Each structure stands twice: as structure tokens, then as C-alpha cells.
């Protein structure tokens, strides 16, 4: 099914979700248009990953609705959601450490009847030349930045039109963080719309079109990325003693 270009590609309405009967998210609304990058911000434990998990079918939806590409996908199983073109690149990478780069890509390939494994794999290698160079290396032998590229590459093997990226820059050196943000922009140019969860508020708002700020499972603030950047309530709400408005200086892995 294909939604009209004026309709959001992904729409979350009054979403309540959590784990079993525990409620983590309360009445969350989110819209992602085709080609857009939407950013989800919030302190540790605010519910960002839970929101990604709720959209991708990895936790319990307790109320509300998720619509993707004109279809109501609320309550769909995770494999059916990814098969329909909505892929998640989870926090912490979760690649198969004991498989090679290429075996990781092979394991994530979803045949959607359009392109072969080799075609998609080559597109991923074009996006991340270092993965082509190291195609026969074990994932465990790759650096943190390369593993993050592999994690994103794996999500792309599902040929998604939307990708949920959960903290792709976590633990990376500043140079690599910038590289990851360039890749996020490249994805959007390739018409893969992105929901980006980030701790690097400033960088995320530079690449993003629109942003939502979560606190304790509620959406407390939303708006155009440029407008939010200068909104004093962003610092009040989100920082609360943290220094996340600055780019991370975390050491390289
Ligand atoms: N599998 C789970 N079962 C039960 N509760 C969970 C589970 N995963 C997360 N939670 C709880 O849900 C709340 C939100 O967690 P979540 O991981 O969504 O936050 P987050 O914004 O992604 O945080 P972080 O920035 O640390 O990644 C937290 O209170 C957390 O303890
Ligand atoms: Mg998280």
C-alpha cells in the first residue's frame, strides 16, 4: 500500500505503551513525512527506546494507533512490521558478533521481490565502503564505529522506507559521530525517512526537521528543529543538570 505524499508516512496517535501491563508511554503523538528526519530527545529513561520498540512491534501497545504507509499496523508482530518496510536499528547495535560482516548482512536480508541480496548488499557497501573492505572480518573484530555502520547496514537489508535509529552515535569519538550524522542525512536523501533518537541534541537538531522531547513517558515539547534549538524550555526540560546540548566527547571504541 502507498500513502499519498501529503499524508504522513508514519503516524503515531495517542499511543500508550509499555512492557506487559507496565505503562511507560502516555498519549504520544508523532508524525514523519516522506524524506523527513524526525528527532526524539529526552533524558535517560524518558521512554525514547520504548517509543521505538512500540512502533516496531517490540513492546506492548496499550492504547492508541500506529499507521505506516496508509496501513494501521497497531499490534502487528515485529517481523511483519519490518517486512512491510519499517526497520529498527536498536540501541546497542545488537549485531551477531561471531558472524562476519557479510553474514550479518545476509541474515538481515528480507526479500521483498524487488532487489536481490547482492544488489542491496552492494548498496550498503557503497554507503559504507569500510564494510566492503572488511566483508570477511568477524563483527567482533570491528571498531565501535564500524560496528555501528554494520548495525545500520543490517537495518537497510530490509529495504525500508522508514528507519528507526536509536542512539547511533552512542560511545563514538566526535569524528565518527559526525560521520554517522552525515549518513543519516544521506539516508533521507535516498528517500529513507528517519526517526532519530539522540543524546547529541545540538547535532540532532541540525540534521532533523522536527523534534519531540519526552520526559517520563510524556511528550513535553515539540516543534521545528531550528525553533526548538532556541527554545529556553528545551534546556529546562531536558538538561536538568546534564550537558547533552554539547556534542559528546565520549572516547573512541
Ligand atoms: N524491557 C523492559 N521491561 C520493563 N521496563 C523497561 C524495559 N525496558 C525499559 N524499561 C523501562 O522503561 C522506562 C523507559 O526506558 P527507555 O529505555 O525507553 O528509556 P530511554 O529514553 O531510551 O533511555 P536511555 O536514554 O537510557 O536509552 C525506564 O523506566 C525503563 O526502566
Ligand atoms: Mg534508549
Amino acid at each position: 500500500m502507498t500513502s499519498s505524499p501529503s499524508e504522513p508516512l508514519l503516524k503515531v496517535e495517542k499511543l500508550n505503551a509499555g512492557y506487559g501491563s507496565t505503562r511507560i508511554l502516555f498519549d504520544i503523538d508523532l508524525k514523519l513525512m516522506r524524506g523527513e528526519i524526525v528527532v526524539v530527545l529526552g533524558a535517560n529513561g524518558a521512554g525514547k527506546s520504548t517509543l521505538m520498540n512500540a512502533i516496531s512491534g517490540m513492546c506492548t501497545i496499550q492504547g492508541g494507533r500506529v499507521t505506516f504507509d496508509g496501513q494501521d499496523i497497531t499490534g502487528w508482530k515485529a517481523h511483519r512490521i519490518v517486512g512491510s518496510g519499517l526497520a529498527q536499528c536498536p540501541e546497542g547495535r545488537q549485531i551477531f558478533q561471531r558472524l562476519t560482516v557479510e553474514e550479518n548482512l545476509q541474515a538481515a536480508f528480507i526479500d521483498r521481490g524487488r532487489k536481490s541480496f547482492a544488489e542491496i548488499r552492494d548498496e550498503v557497501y557503497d554507503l559504507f565502503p569500510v564494510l566492503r573492505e572488511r566483508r570477511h572480518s568477524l563483527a567482533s573484530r570491528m571498531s565501535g564505529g564500524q560496528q555501528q555502520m554494520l548495525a545500520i547496514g543490517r537495518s537497510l537489508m530490509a529495504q525500508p522506507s522508514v528507519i528507526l535509529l536509536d542512539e547511533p552515535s552512542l560511545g563514538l569519538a566526535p569524528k565518527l559521530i559526525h560521520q554517522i550524522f552525515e549518513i543519516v542525512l544521506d539516508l533521507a536523501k535516498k528517500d529513507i525517512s528517519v526517526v532519530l533518537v539522540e543524546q547529541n541534541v545540538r547535532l540532532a537538531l541540525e540534521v532533523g526537521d522536527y523534534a519531540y522531547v519526552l520526559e517520563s513517558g510524556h511528550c513535553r515539547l515539540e516543534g521545528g528543529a531550528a525553533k526548538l534549538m532556541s527554545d529556553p524550555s528545551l534546556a529546562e526540560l531536558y538538561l536538568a543538570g546534564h550537558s547533552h546540548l554539547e556534542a559528546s566527547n565520549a572516547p573512541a571504541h
Side-chain angles (χ1 to χ4, degrees):
M1 190 175 287
T2 309
S3 58
S4 93
S6 60
E7 276 292 300
L9 185 52
L10 175 67
K11 188 160 65 169
V12 171
E13 295 166 280
K14 294 266 165 288
L15 187 72
N16 289 271
Y19 301 93
S21 58
T22 308
R23 184 155 304 183
I24 304 291
L25 298 176
F26 301 85
D27 293 330
I28 302 293
D29 292 312
L30 178 147
K31 278 184 199 162
L32 175 71
M33 304 302 287
R34 231 167 253 283
E36 239 185 5
I37 300 170
V38 157
V39 176
V40 177
L41 304 170
N44 292 337
K48 306 179 296 296
S49 296
T50 303
L51 177 56
M52 298 305 103
N53 291 341
I55 295 170
S56 67
M58 303 286 283
C59 70
T60 316
I61 294 184
Q62 298 155 340
R65 185 161 55 175
V66 182
T67 313
F68 170 57
D69 205 6
Q71 277 188 296
D72 185 342
I73 63 163
T74 319
W76 283 22
K77 296 263 185 279
H79 68 90
R80 188 171 170 209
I81 294 175
V82 69
S84 73
L86 199 167
Q88 182 176 17
C89 185
E91 190 178 337
R93 299 169 198 149
Q94 301 185 16
I95 53 181
F96 298 119
Q97 296 288 335
R98 298 175 73 174
L99 296 185
T100 65
V101 167
E102 186 139 324
E103 287 165 348
N104 264 281
L105 297 182
Q106 177 92 57
F109 174 61
I110 294 180
D111 189 351
R112 301 183 66 200
R114 293 202 292 264
K115 291 182 182 173
S116 67
F117 163 70
E119 282 173 288
I120 309 289
R121 176 203 59 196
D122 287 344
E123 284 177 16
V124 169
Y125 285 159
D126 289 343
L127 194 60
F128 303 108
V130 70
L131 296 185
R132 177 178 277 123
E133 281 164 32
R134 304 212 49 194
R135 61 202 292 173
H136 300 304
S137 300
L138 284 180
S140 58
R141 308 296 294 256
M142 312 273 283
S143 70
Q146 290 165 350
Q147 291 200 13
Q148 186 58 63
M149 290 175 200
L150 179 55
I152 298 173
R154 270 178 55 92
S155 311
L156 296 178
M157 294 309 293
Q159 307 173 64
S161 53
V162 168
I163 184 168
L164 311 175
L165 285 178
D166 196 347
E167 306 218 26
S169 71
L170 194 68
L172 301 182
K175 196 172 145 223
L176 285 170
I177 292 176
H178 282 273
Q179 213 175 331
I180 294 287
F181 277 90
E182 287 295 325
I183 288 159
V184 172
L185 285 169
D186 277 354
L187 294 176
K189 281 188 209 132
K190 287 182 194 296
D191 220 22
I192 299 173
S193 313
V194 181
V195 180
L196 175 66
V197 170
E198 259 302 329
Q199 295 281 357
N200 287 288
V201 177
R202 195 176 296 280
L203 279 175
L205 292 180
E206 274 170 21
V207 300
D209 297 292
Y210 198 87
Y212 299 85
V213 186
L214 303 187
E215 186 203 41
S216 307
H218 296 265
C219 181
R220 301 291 192 197
L221 186 66
E222 66 175 278
K227 192 163 162 282
L228 267 198
M229 182 75 100
S230 56
D231 189 328
S233 49
L234 176 66
E236 266 169 47
L237 246 179
Y238 175 59
L239 289 178
H242 299 262
S243 57
H244 289 140
L245 270 178
E246 300 307 327
S248 164
N249 286 317
H253 278 201

